[in-house]
Amino acid sequence: MEKKNIVISDIARIAGVSKSTVSRVLTGNSFVEESKRLKILKVIKDTGYIPNIAARSLRGRSTGTIGVILNLDPNYHFTDYISMETLRGISSEANKMGLKVSVIIEKCTHALPRVLKDQSVDGLIVMGLKKNESALQSIDNPEDLEIPIVLLNYSQDFERFPSVSFSNESNAYDFTMYVISMGHINIGTIDNSSDILSVKNRMNGARTALDESGIKYNSDWHFVFEDINAGDAGRKGAEKFLQLKTRPSVIIASADDIAISFIATVTALGLKVPDDVSVVGVDNIPISKYVHPPLTTEKVEGYRRGTLAFRMLKTLLDEERLQERHVYIRSVIVERESLKKIR
């Protein structure tokens, strides 16, 4: 049995004891019958494995805290509903286990090395991954870390890290195909922060749907704004849309906040949605059904993402094998009145 494949349940099985007994021997904070203790220690020695729980005990008691890195500039005005729901899911599960959650709003490049060095948390969840994360790329084998890490987005570049992700590419493909099925072939988009993996993956899915449907990609209809909030992206997208000589019949915004801002801007200048232009968003934030017209969107389950990410991290902390290293969450299309069928 290879060292890297051994988990606490293997030690328990070989020694013929429970996992909790192995854990007590490793932490040394509870009484264990001497014969069992010696047997467990012999199994650990024979397998040549130093489990993470033992490494944590060497630096002191468990911190009782889970860290969540929000990969953002600390000065960024953070209002993302799905991320907040994800944090709520993480916190809810942590509370059930009597654990605290420490949220770190900082660029991953700076935050991750510091947290791993300080060992101020027992485990980490990283949100808002971007294409090139040097701090993660420098880690060859996550299993050697004393602090396990779970990512909230999948990328082939970081395949060695376990992850919980929305199926961004597949979700965007299905949603774009739905828009096409409503008769739209002149399709525009608005995105912000294209270096974020989730946005990049959605772009790929939408482009695939266009290609398979024989619809030519028109770069003049695709508005990308970097490092600005959703409201500003929607407003700036609307301004560029209004300047076009030939306009798309529908705008697919990468977030409901962007779509709502776009609708407000074009409506204030006399256009009607969906008569003059259809608009759809992503996330199904609570206000999306109350705007005029009610917004067609995708229901994305941020809370579920948070609960699954915490459970995955807890499995790693308990030295158990993950049933799945990469978990994907599909979205559901919510049909409302902002998307018009044109043929």
Side-chain angles (χ1 to χ4, degrees):
M1 186 177 297
E2 296 182 16
K3 172 182 173 179
K4 68 177 183 179
N5 290 328
I6 298 175
V7 293
I8 197 169
S9 57
D10 294 319
I11 302 297
R13 176 177 53 78
I14 296 170
V17 298
S18 68
K19 290 181 294 183
S20 60
T21 300
V22 176
S23 179
R24 287 196 296 272
V25 169
L26 292 171
T27 56
N29 61 358
S30 297
F31 174 79
V32 177
E33 185 180 325
E34 183 65 10
S35 61
K36 289 183 179 179
R37 187 181 72 83
L38 292 174
K39 188 173 184 180
I40 291 167
L41 292 175
K42 183 177 185 303
V43 171
I44 292 173
K45 181 179 179 181
D46 290 346
T47 57
Y49 177 64
I50 303 175
N52 285 344
I53 192 169
R56 288 196 299 273
S57 71
L58 292 175
R59 72 170 194 256
R61 299 289 182 184
S62 166
T63 67
T65 302
I66 300 301
V68 180
I69 295 177
L70 290 181
N71 189 21
L72 295 169
D73 186 308
N75 296 317
Y76 181 78
H77 183 51
F78 179 67
T79 59
D80 181 62
Y81 172 76
I82 296 302
S83 295
M84 294 300 292
E85 281 293 282
T86 301
L87 287 173
R88 191 168 69 88
I90 293 170
S91 298
S92 175
E93 290 296 303
N95 185 59
K96 293 176 186 176
M97 300 292 177
L99 297 172
K100 300 187 292 292
V101 177
S102 174
V103 179
I104 305 158
I105 303 177
E106 188 178 357
K107 296 281 189 174
C108 183
T109 304
H110 305 299
L112 183 60
R114 187 185 69 253
V115 173
L116 291 178
K117 181 181 179 180
D118 295 346
Q119 299 182 349
S120 52
V121 298
D122 293 333
L124 271 174
I125 296 172
V126 181
M127 296 174 60
L129 284 182
K130 298 190 176 182
K131 297 179 202 175
N132 299 307
E133 297 290 357
S134 58
L136 287 170
Q137 290 171 336
S138 66
I139 299 172
D140 294 326
N141 186 4
E143 293 181 6
D144 290 339
L145 295 174
E146 293 182 19
I147 298 175
I149 298 173
V150 171
L151 305 183
L152 285 184
N153 213 333
Y154 172 78
S155 167
Q156 288 184 336
D157 293 338
F158 309 125
E159 187 174 15
R160 57 196 179 278
F161 291 90
S163 64
V164 178
S165 311
F166 298 128
S167 299
N168 290 302
E169 193 161 335
S170 298
N171 291 343
Y173 172 87
D174 289 346
F175 198 32
T176 305
M177 292 299 282
Y178 164 67
V179 169
I180 293 169
S181 76
M182 296 290 283
H184 295 272
I185 58 174
N186 298 323
I187 299 172
T189 63
I190 305 176
D191 296 304
N192 64 342
S193 302
S194 61
D195 60 337
I196 294 177
L197 283 174
S198 59
V199 175
K200 176 178 176 288
N201 292 339
R202 288 195 64 86
M203 287 179 179
N204 292 339
R207 286 289 296 272
T208 300
L210 294 176
D211 292 343
E212 289 185 5
S213 302
I215 298 173
K216 186 177 179 180
Y217 174 84
N218 186 337
S219 60
D220 291 339
W221 293 346
H222 296 269
F223 312 124
V224 179
F225 304 98
E226 302 294 347
D227 298 322
I228 63 174
N229 63 45
D232 288 342
R235 177 179 55 80
K236 288 179 177 291
E239 291 168 355
K240 286 186 172 291
F241 170 83
L242 293 167
Q243 293 169 6
L244 294 171
K245 292 182 179 179
T246 303
R247 297 170 179 169
S249 63
V250 62
I251 290 291
I252 301 176
S254 62
D256 286 350
D257 288 338
I258 295 176
I260 291 168
S261 176
F262 178 92
I263 291 172
T265 303
V266 299
T267 299
L269 294 172
L271 270 64
K272 294 183 178 180
V273 177
D275 294 339
D276 296 316
V277 59
S278 290
V279 184
V280 299
V282 177
D283 289 341
N284 194 38
I285 64 176
I287 199 174
S288 64
K289 62 184 175 183
Y290 299 115
V291 298
H292 181 73
L295 186 66
T296 295
T297 184
E298 286 182 48
K299 181 181 180 182
V300 180
E301 297 183 281
Y303 184 86
R304 183 176 174 225
R305 180 174 68 160
T307 61
L308 292 176
F310 176 85
R311 291 170 189 171
M312 180 178 282
L313 185 61
K314 187 65 168 62
T315 298
L316 295 173
L317 288 169
D318 289 344
E319 290 286 316
E320 289 296 330
R321 280 198 183 89
L322 296 172
Q323 293 183 352
E324 297 178 273
R325 287 188 60 80
H326 304 292
V327 175
Y328 302 94
I329 302 172
R330 296 303 303 268
S331 63
V332 176
I333 296 172
V334 181
E335 300 180 87
R336 296 196 182 108
E337 298 168 26
S338 66
L339 177 66
K340 180 175 70 173
K341 187 175 181 65
I342 60 176
R343 61 178 172 85

